[in-house]
């Protein structure tokens, strides 16, 4: 197993372990291709950098693990302070999340665990803290994305399986799998993932992080 960072002393077990998947940049965010053109890989990396930066700034978060085979992305995210797992096993998004969750549990078995989308460029640490604070102390819970179809966060208590079912209509699948939906009206930055130009415009209106802002400056928005 390859890890791209030296870890500081272990944080308290009461803080969260977050797992984020980052696809190979050349294959990431393909729906943005007609809009972003050659900037698409840079934009995908910028989303991940701003998401991870905000997650690391969240006082409720004890560690951030990124699962990615992309060397450039891994190096940049490790420089922020994330633990990068480069031995992604294949099997798609949910396989990567399950792999990261298992590693997080080995490192911090008594910590609560959450999977977070890596394309939340407007993410605010305070809003993420509110979401994590609303997760029940037992069981599993999820936060729906802005359109109400997908999921941007799935959380579970220590000792419970994460059982990720991301992709497409994951809100329905997570609910059917027994996870409770978090009904929070004031956390738009945690819900606003970005797949299209319209999504990016909404994220920019919320206020994105510096990496996304820099790349977006070159786009026809």
């Amino acid at each position: 197993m390859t890890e791209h960072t030296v870890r500081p002393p272990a944080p308290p077990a009461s803080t969260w372990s977050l797992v984020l998947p980052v696809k190979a940049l050349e294959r990431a965010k393909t729906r943005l291709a007609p809009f972003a053109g050659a900037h698409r890989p840079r934009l995908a990396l910028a989303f991940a950098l701003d998401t991870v930066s905000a997650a690391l700034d969240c006082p409720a978060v004890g560690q951030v693990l990124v699962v990615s085979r992309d060397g450039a992305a891994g190096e940049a995210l490790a420089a922020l302070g994330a633990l990068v797992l480069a031995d992604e096993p294949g099997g798609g998004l949910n396989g990567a999340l399950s792999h990261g969750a298992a590693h997080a549990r080995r490192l911090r078995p008594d910590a609560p665990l959450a999977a977070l989308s890596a394309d939340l460029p407007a993410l605010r640490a305070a809003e993420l803290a509110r979401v994590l604070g609303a997760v029940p102390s037992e069981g599993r819970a999820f936060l729906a994305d802005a359109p109400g179809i997908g999921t941007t966060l799935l959380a579970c208590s220590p000792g419970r399986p994460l059982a990720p079912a991301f992709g497409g209509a994951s809100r329905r699948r997570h609910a059917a799998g027994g996870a409770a939906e978090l009904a929070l009206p004031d956390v738009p930055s945690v819900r606003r993932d970005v797949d299209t130009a319209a999504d990016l415009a909404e994220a920019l209106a919320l206020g994105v992080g510096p990496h996304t802002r820099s790349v977006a400056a070159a786009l026809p928005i």
Side-chain angles (χ1 to χ4, degrees):
M1 180 170 297
T2 304
E3 299 177 4
H4 288 298
T5 192
V6 176
R7 302 305 297 161
S14 59
T15 55
W16 287 79
S17 292
L18 295 189
V19 179
L20 291 81
V22 175
K23 186 182 289 188
L25 298 178
E26 288 302 321
R27 297 187 289 106
K29 297 298 161 191
T30 54
R31 291 169 64 189
L32 283 171
F35 166 71
H39 296 287
R40 177 182 53 79
R42 291 179 57 223
L43 200 56
L45 177 58
F47 293 166
L49 289 169
D50 286 330
T51 303
V52 168
S53 294
L56 288 167
D57 285 342
C58 179
V61 174
Q63 70 174 358
V64 173
L65 294 89
V66 171
V67 184
S68 180
R69 290 180 175 179
D70 192 289
E75 184 175 350
L77 292 164
L80 295 177
L83 173 64
V84 179
L85 306 181
D87 60 338
E88 182 182 342
L93 171 61
N94 293 305
L97 287 171
S98 294
H99 175 64
H103 191 71
R105 281 273 164 75
R106 287 193 293 272
L107 291 174
R108 303 177 68 223
D110 298 324
L113 173 67
L116 181 68
S117 297
D119 58 350
L120 302 170
L123 184 64
R124 301 286 189 272
E127 292 185 15
L128 177 59
R130 286 201 291 274
V131 173
L132 295 174
V135 176
S137 59
E138 297 293 334
R140 298 164 62 241
F142 70 93
L143 185 74
D145 62 10
I149 298 171
T151 305
T152 57
L153 180 140
L154 175 68
C156 62
S157 56
R160 295 294 298 269
L162 184 63
F166 284 84
S170 61
R171 178 186 187 181
R172 175 181 53 79
R173 289 195 300 275
H174 284 136
E181 182 167 358
L182 299 171
L184 299 173
D186 58 346
V187 290
S189 77
V190 196
R191 296 184 186 274
R192 181 65 281 165
D193 54 352
V194 176
D195 289 309
T196 66
D199 295 342
L200 179 56
E202 291 186 14
L204 289 168
L206 289 173
V208 297
H211 300 92
T212 301
R213 188 164 58 246
S214 176
V215 178
L219 301 177
I221 299 175

